[in-house]
Amino acid sequence: MVVIGLEIHVQLKTKSKLFCKCSATYRDVEQNSNICPICTSQPGSKPMAITRRALENLLKIGLALNCKIKIDERIYIQRKHYFYPDLPSNYQRTSLPIAYDGMVSNIRIRELHIEEDPGRYELRKGLVDYNRSGVPLVEIVTDPDLRSPEEARMFLEELQAITGYLDATREEPGSMRIDANISLEGGNRVEVKNINSYKGVYTALKYEIIRQGNLVQKGLKVEQETRHFDEAQGITLGSRKKESVADYRYIPDPDLPPILVTESLVTGIRNTIPELPRDKARRLVKQFRIKEEDAWILVSEKEVADLFEELAKEIDPQACASWLRGPLKKQLNYRNLLLKDSGLSKQHIKELIQMYVKNEITDKIADELLISLFKESKSPRKMAEELGLKTISNVNEIEEIVKKIIKESPKAVEDYSNGEEKALHFLSGKVMKETKGRASPEIVRDLLKKLVGK
Ligand SMILES: [Zn+2]
């Protein structure tokens, strides 16, 4: 049996840093421009009380993960000591658990903390950029309830969908770091540190299962250790440095008052939580009678699910669902984009699906038009008309082309007559090529069967 637990650090969405008023923007700005004496720990500087929005966003996540919240209890912020150039104070401020005992898809959530991000140290150049120093993070700790890399990936996808719905975290590259604990049955626990993506978690866990399995097979012992994930090679590497809880020398930060969460704050936040992905998927299946697997993919981004609901009022829901999860998701994933950041207009997507559903354009042309929408925001209906891309469904017109292709391809015709189905694909491919993908595929197939059969 494989036992996996995760610690997920995600940046909370706020305008300012956790303990000062500096902007929390650290990407695409000049190095060390969003800094002040507090977030660079100058002598004599004192942190301000934590940024309220950071706490609110953490509570939102806690509630959405079905956690209990520590209400009216003093929650101390601790100093976790370690020494590295990205951490000018030599300690990272991290709170005691604020939310605890949650559950998502049968995975227990142990606790949520709030903490500050360190700066960024560029080892090769010897540069430190403190723009990130003090950016608020939530640390989400699961119980060791995951049993495979696949399960970890599914859990993380759901978590990402949830935080996206809440609009509580930053969704940009590098805004998340994950530590994964993994052990094989009876073996020691290995901690893999600093994985930067959900995909990375899957790769690191796969690698560790093989590495630990090989050791066991050779009769060797798996050492309890901390390893680092090398994303480029997809492997984990042992590190020399040993760390244990005692080494961090946790103490409560005497400069900061404890956090106090009131019942009314929690009630207020609970009321802002929208319908979450899992509930939405269930409702879409019930309300629109679409396939469950389609619904689950649609709800992974709130904007896609919302678009579906809007379109499904006018267009056949299942056709809509299939097209959004298929061609649209494919093009978005290929560009590593979310719908909300894609620049695609709802109106254009609607036109495209309408034309496709009414067989005005073939699926191939629909794909091509979608691709051009990423380059130019223009009505796809106009584009189709201007470029003459509408489906040819005039049987006589297609018949002429089919006859021509049959004439040109005696070998394929003979093969088909001898029962080779593949030859039919070959022939219809030629017809589609001749018509630049515009011939109705159904009519082509029917014609070929009729004419070749003779
Ligand atoms: Zn600052």
Side-chain angles (χ1 to χ4, degrees), residues 17 19-23 34-40 133:
K17 293 186 181 180
F19 299 115
C20 64
K21 295 282 169 232
C22 290
S23 161
N34 287 333
I35 58 172
C36 74
I38 295 172
C39 53
T40 51
S133 176

Side-chain angles (χ1 to χ4, degrees), residues 140-175:
I140 303 167
V141 184
T142 77
D143 273 320
D145 288 348
L146 297 150
R147 293 289 170 269
S148 67
E150 289 74 19
E151 205 184 351
R153 183 168 62 185
M154 275 163 59
F155 168 76
L156 289 169
E157 277 168 3
E158 182 164 6
L159 181 64
Q160 188 176 35
I162 291 172
T163 56
Y165 274 47
L166 298 174
D167 196 28
T169 55
R170 293 159 75 122
E171 292 169 60
E172 46 202 45
S175 63

Side-chain angles (χ1 to χ4, degrees), residues 29-142:
V29 285
E30 200 193 327
Q31 288 201 332
N32 294 310
S33 54
N34 287 333
I35 58 172
C36 74
I38 295 172
C39 53
T40 51
S41 291
Q42 307 281 319
S45 67
K46 287 250 178 359
M48 300 176 181
I50 69 163
T51 295
R52 194 177 166 81
R53 178 49 66 86
L55 178 64
E56 289 171 355
N57 279 340
L58 180 140
L59 291 171
K60 252 195 211 179
I61 298 170
L63 291 170
L65 301 181
N66 304 303
C67 289
K68 296 173 187 149
I69 308 289
K70 281 205 178 147
I71 292 172
D72 290 336
E73 272 184 60
R74 287 159 168 266
I75 304 163
Y76 287 96
I77 295 169
Q78 296 201 294
R79 293 179 173 180
K80 174 184 176 180
H81 293 83
Y82 69 90
F83 305 99
Y84 202 64
D86 63 4
L87 196 68
S89 57
N90 292 337
Y91 54 79
Q92 182 186 20
R93 293 189 184 93
T94 171
S95 79
L96 290 173
I98 300 173
Y100 62 102
D101 273 1
M103 173 88 85
V104 171
S105 308
N106 290 323
I107 308 303
R108 287 171 298 163
I109 307 294
R110 185 180 294 170
E111 57 199 30
L112 268 61
H113 311 249
I114 206 162
E115 54 185 45
E116 57 179 348
D117 217 348
R120 282 198 295 180
Y121 177 42
E122 280 185 63
L123 192 67
R124 287 209 186 107
K125 292 186 197 158
L127 288 174
V128 194
D129 177 7
Y130 289 116
N131 283 343
R132 201 180 69 182
S133 176
V135 168
L137 295 175
V138 54
E139 181 185 18
I140 303 167
V141 184
T142 77

